Amino acid sequence: MSAPYKATDRLCEIISQDHHLLQMMSRFGIPLGVGEKTVAQVCEDNHVDTPTFLAVANYMKLGAATAILDIEKVSVEALTAYLAQAHSYFLSFQLPAIRRKLLEAIDCSEQNEVAYLILKFYDEYMSEVRRHMQFENKRVFTYVKQLLSGRKPTDFCITQFADSHKDIDHKLQELKNIIIKYYAAPADGQLLHNVLFDIFVCEGDLRTHCALENDLFVPAVKLLEETLKETADNPSSQENARTGGMTGAEALSEREVEVLRHVVRGLTNKETAEQLFISINTVLTHRKNISRKLNIHSVAGLTIYAIAQGIVHLDEVKMH
Ligand SMILES: [Fe+2]
Ligand SMILES: [Fe+2]
C-alpha cells in the first residue's frame, strides 16, 4: 500500500505524480510556482491549514479509512472553505463549460429531437446540482459557521444533513450513456468525444466531492458538535476556560490542561483516556479543542506551550 502524503513532502514532486492535487490546490487557493517547497511551507505561505490539506490529499490518494485517522486535526473552517470553493468551480466553471461544448458538439436544430432532449436533460441536471450546492452553502455551511463561533443552533444538526445527502453524479452517468447509445454523431465527431471525456471527468469529480462530504466533512463537524455539547453540559469547564489565567486567544479548561499535560508527557490517547477515566473519543475531542484554541497542531508545539505556561517542567517531557 502506498504511503500517505506528509507535511515534509516536496509539493512539486507529489503533484507530478498525482494530477488531482492540482485541482485541490486551486480549491485551497494555492497558486502554482511552488518551487522546491514542502507541503507545509506552501500551505503556510498561502495561509492554508496543512493538516486539512493533507487530509483531503490523502483522502483522494488512499480513501476514507486512512484520512479519517487524522480527523481530529482537520480544521472544519478550512474544509468548509474548500468545499464552498469546489461548489463555485462546478457551478460557475465546469458545468457551464460542458454545456457550451455540448451546444457546439450536437446538432441543436429543432429537427433533431434527440439533441434537443439531451440539452434539456443537461439543463435540468445543472439546476438540480445548483439546488444541492446552494442548500449546502446556505443551510449547512451557515450552520457550521455558527458552530465555529461557539453557538450550537437547536434546529439543525449535521446528522440531518448526512441522512438526506444524496449523490449527484448518477444523472451525469445516465446522460453519458444516452449520448453514447442514442445520439447518432458524425463519424468524425471529435467535439462530441471531447465533451464526453469532460463528462467522465466531471462525473468522477462530483462523486469524490460528495464522498468527501460524507466521509470527512460530516465526521469533522460531528466532532465540533460534540465539543460544543460537552462545554454546554459542563459549565464549570466553561468557567475555568474564562478564568484559567492563561495567555493566548482562548484559555484552556481545566480538563483540557489535564489532557495537554498527558499528551506532552508522551502518553498515547489510550493511556490518557485510561488515566483520566474518559473515552478515547473524548480525549480526541479535547485534543482537537486544544489545538483549535491555541492554533497549535503539533505535539512539539504543544510541548513548548505547556512548558512556557508552567503546565509541565522540561524534565517531565518526552522530547519528540
Ligand atoms: Fe457539496
Ligand atoms: Fe453534497
Side-chain angles (χ1 to χ4, degrees):
M1 192 179 120
S2 45
Y5 295 129
K6 302 183 300 293
T8 49
D9 287 337
R10 279 196 309 150
L11 189 55
C12 62
E13 267 176 25
I14 63 176
I15 297 170
S16 64
Q17 289 158 21
D18 183 357
H19 69 279
H20 292 107
L21 291 176
L22 276 178
Q23 202 169 48
M24 254 189 67
M25 282 171 63
S26 97
R27 290 178 194 172
F28 272 114
I30 298 175
L32 287 173
V34 296
E36 299 295 322
K37 289 180 179 171
T38 63
V39 170
Q41 287 167 333
V42 174
C43 284
E44 199 175 312
D45 288 352
N46 292 283
H47 311 290
V48 171
D49 182 65
T50 308
T52 309
F53 182 91
L54 285 169
V56 176
N58 284 322
Y59 182 83
M60 307 279 190
K61 185 184 185 191
L62 302 167
T66 304
I68 202 80
L69 294 175
D70 284 330
I71 192 70
E72 83 277 7
K73 295 185 195 157
V74 167
S75 150
V76 173
E77 191 176 6
L79 187 57
T80 307
Y82 171 83
L83 293 171
Q85 196 51 46
H87 290 170
S88 315
Y89 174 78
F90 286 120
L91 297 177
S92 308
F93 180 74
Q94 198 173 27
L95 291 170
I98 290 178
R99 190 183 194 278
R100 278 196 301 276
K101 281 193 176 181
L102 255 184
L103 271 176
E104 257 186 86
I106 59 178
D107 168 18
C108 292
S109 62
E110 276 178 20
Q111 292 78 13
N112 193 329
E113 287 178 356
V114 176
Y116 169 77
L117 290 173
I118 285 173
L119 205 60
K120 188 163 176 282
F121 186 105
Y122 188 76
D123 285 345
E124 282 170 6
Y125 174 68
M126 266 180 74
S127 305
E128 191 184 308
V129 175
R130 190 173 298 279
R131 278 196 301 277
H132 178 111
M133 292 183 174
Q134 280 178 345
F135 171 77
E136 288 170 355
N137 289 346
K138 288 185 183 156
R139 187 70 182 98
V140 186
F141 296 171
T142 303
Y143 168 72
V144 167
K145 269 185 202 142
Q146 289 169 320
L147 290 182
L148 287 166
S149 69
R151 208 157 57 79
K152 165 86 183 76
T154 51
D155 60 342
F156 191 72
C157 69
I158 204 64
T159 308
Q160 272 171 262
F161 165 67
D163 290 346
S164 61
H165 189 221
K166 292 197 170 60
D167 290 345
I168 41 174
D169 60 284
H170 60 281
K171 270 203 177 168
L172 215 45
Q173 191 179 6
E174 212 173 299
L175 174 69
K176 192 180 70 192
N177 290 335
I178 290 171
I179 297 175
I180 293 169
K181 287 184 189 172
Y182 305 113
Y183 186 75
D188 63 342
Q190 286 175 355
L191 279 175
L192 194 58
H193 288 135
N194 188 258
V195 75
L196 272 175
F197 183 81
D198 287 356
I199 293 175
F200 270 95
V201 173
C202 185
E203 184 193 331
D205 203 5
L206 281 166
R207 195 181 311 122
T208 309
H209 174 84
C210 280
L212 185 80
E213 286 173 337
N214 293 333
D215 297 337
L216 272 192
F217 175 71
V218 167
V221 176
K222 262 189 194 158
L223 263 184
L224 184 58
E225 284 178 339
E226 281 165 23
T227 308
L228 285 173
K229 186 172 178 300
E230 202 162 286
T231 312
D233 289 349
N234 185 3
S236 69
S237 75
Q238 238 174 348
E239 185 59 24
N240 281 329
R242 279 195 294 274
T243 58
M246 289 182 193
T247 57
E250 222 180 318
L252 301 183
S253 69
E254 216 167 68
R255 196 51 143 175
E256 286 161 355
V257 171
E258 276 295 297
V259 170
L260 177 64
R261 189 174 287 126
H262 285 69
V263 170
V264 301
R265 280 173 174 163
L267 274 79
T268 62
N269 290 331
K270 188 165 176 284
E271 289 165 340
T272 304
E274 282 166 2
Q275 293 208 2
L276 296 177
F277 304 104
I278 54 179
S279 72
I280 292 184
N281 268 346
T282 308
V283 173
L284 290 174
T285 305
H286 282 309
R287 286 192 64 168
K288 187 175 166 54
N289 213 15
I290 291 165
S291 289
R292 181 183 59 79
K293 284 182 174 179
L294 303 177
N295 203 18
I296 302 174
H297 298 275
S298 66
V299 175
L302 290 172
T303 305
I304 294 168
Y305 173 86
I307 290 172
Q309 293 292 330
I311 294 169
V312 290
H313 296 290
L314 188 58
D315 51 10
E316 295 175 78
V317 170
K318 176 180 166 186
M319 292 312 283
H320 300 272

